[in-house]
Amino acid sequence: MANAMKIAIVDDEKDMRQSISQWLALSGYDTETFPSAEDALKALGPDYPGIVVTDIRMPGMDGMQFLKKLMGTDSTLPVIMITGHGDVPMAVEAMRVGAYDFLEKPFNPDRMTELAKKATHARRLTLDNRALRRELSDGGQLMKKLIGSSPVMERLKEDILDLGQADGHVLIDGETGTGKTLVAHALHAVGARAGKKFVLVSCAAYEQEQLSKRLFGPMNPEDSRLPAVEEARGGTLVLEDIEALSDGLQARLLTWLNEEGTPPETRLVAISNLQDEGKTSEDALRSDLFYRLASLRITVPPLRQRGEDILTLFTRFSDQFADDYGCDAPQVSAQEAAQLLQAPWPGNVRQLFNVAERAVLQSRRGSGTIVSLLMSDHQDMQPVMTTEGKPLKEYVEAFERMLIDNTMRRHKGSIAAVMDELCLPRRTLNEKMAKYALQRSDYL
């Protein structure tokens, strides 16, 4: 199975190890066996991509000692204990220490499979969440998520790196779906507060009274969280939809900012979505709050201004969905590439993401075109007219770059395979890759 979780089976009895391994392998799991806890510990690190099934009674290090070692390395690792007759009290103690569950011999193999399914699902969620937390604290990884090499995106990345090193509060604005929250994460991750708390509050998600409590307290007795200004202390507090704050809460926020001093202990990043309504942050915020925030300001560019980034993003998204759905990504024609470049994209990157998914789904069914999806999203959109807007040469170059990029990605950087598929001599391919700043090393 692709991306199957592993199951480490630990038992000093060879027949039992092999029996459990064979049964779980038939259920699609990638199993590995160990004759002792000592041997298993050498292979089981804190991010082991699976679960452990172990006997309790073993010579040398027994199952309880083994469990305690594993919990000390990774307390979230699911460990299923196999007990003999009369070992149930020991199994109960194992559950207290941190075991996921236990099976009493002789056990039903179907029960083993059911437990393994639940435990591996829990493990996958844990590892996915752990990877996401690491990614959101890794400035390099976050900057890579800001895909594109258009001038406006290069400028955005430079702004993030510059302002990330600054201490002042920041205002981020731009249209819906442009990636403002991702920019806020990146600002935090590339700055001095990268290892500190990152707390995000959507102001539009609360009524004013609840919002006041969420930001400044007092919290409800049953709520285990601190008020956001306390929770984020020393790190970054991000307020989405800052314009949803009432005048009273804006005044209170300004007072808190003044108390933070210079440089502030906690950095505020405010996100505004007012551009969708033809308004500005200055229209909605108190002037003293606006100027306090807007001294450091980032405006995230809309997708329609990002040129060939549109094709790069569409390719990445469609490849991703093709992997998810187990099918080939749709082939984009020159006409469709031009249509993608010319579309107005009012929903920006989020809309492009949705179009890519629908394109993959309809391609899997063998029906529909990318143009039909765009036309359904934009009823007033006309077919591409190469006599208007961009010159034909620009559309052709954008399509050519996308075609080479897609083919290089598909063939994992094999120049010979790309030359063969595109019917290009090596010199011509090299010249075009240099022209479009495509590096073979990026595809290996």
Side-chain angles (χ1 to χ4, degrees), residues 109-296:
D110 289 329
R111 171 63 178 157
M112 166 70 77
T113 305
E114 179 187 348
L115 265 183
K117 182 178 179 181
K118 290 179 179 177
T120 52
H121 177 69
R123 183 59 170 169
R124 187 180 294 280
L125 288 177
T126 296
L127 293 179
D128 286 349
N129 288 335
R130 190 175 292 170
L132 178 61
R133 285 197 300 273
R134 286 174 182 163
E135 190 174 273
L136 293 178
S137 65
D138 184 337
Q141 287 300 316
L142 277 170
M143 293 300 282
K144 288 178 183 177
K145 280 184 167 289
L146 296 166
I147 298 168
S149 55
S150 61
V152 290
M153 282 304 289
E154 291 298 328
R155 191 157 53 249
L156 174 65
K157 293 172 190 177
E158 290 171 5
D159 286 345
I160 291 170
L161 291 171
D162 288 344
L163 299 192
Q165 300 302 313
D167 280 318
H169 308 300
V170 181
L171 176 64
I172 302 173
D173 56 18
E175 297 176 10
T176 295
T178 49
K180 296 186 292 296
T181 303
L182 177 60
V183 170
H185 276 289
L187 270 175
H188 175 77
V190 300
R193 291 177 171 81
K196 305 292 181 60
K197 284 289 190 71
F198 178 95
V199 177
L200 188 147
V201 177
S202 174
C203 299
Y206 297 86
E207 296 292 339
Q208 293 299 307
E209 184 178 347
Q210 285 78 25
L211 180 57
S212 177
K213 290 181 178 179
R214 176 68 187 101
L215 293 178
F216 304 106
M219 303 297 287
N220 296 322
E222 68 275 9
D223 200 325
S224 60
R225 291 180 302 183
L226 293 169
V229 295
E230 293 296 329
E231 187 182 355
R233 184 168 296 281
T236 302
L237 173 61
V238 179
L239 299 184
E240 286 186 327
D241 299 298
I242 184 76
E243 63 275 3
L245 291 175
S246 66
D247 287 345
L249 283 181
Q250 287 186 38
R252 194 167 179 186
L253 180 64
L254 184 63
T255 299
W256 175 74
L257 291 176
N258 291 333
E259 291 171 351
E260 283 293 293
T262 305
E265 181 181 5
T266 305
R267 184 180 214 182
L268 177 66
V269 177
I271 297 177
S272 170
N273 286 302
L274 282 175
Q275 281 196 12
D276 296 341
E277 304 168 20
K279 299 178 182 177
T280 67
S281 309
E282 194 171 359
D283 296 328
L285 299 178
R286 291 168 51 115
S287 58
D288 45 6
L289 177 60
F290 171 78
Y291 289 116
R292 187 67 185 273
L293 296 173
S295 59
L296 299 179

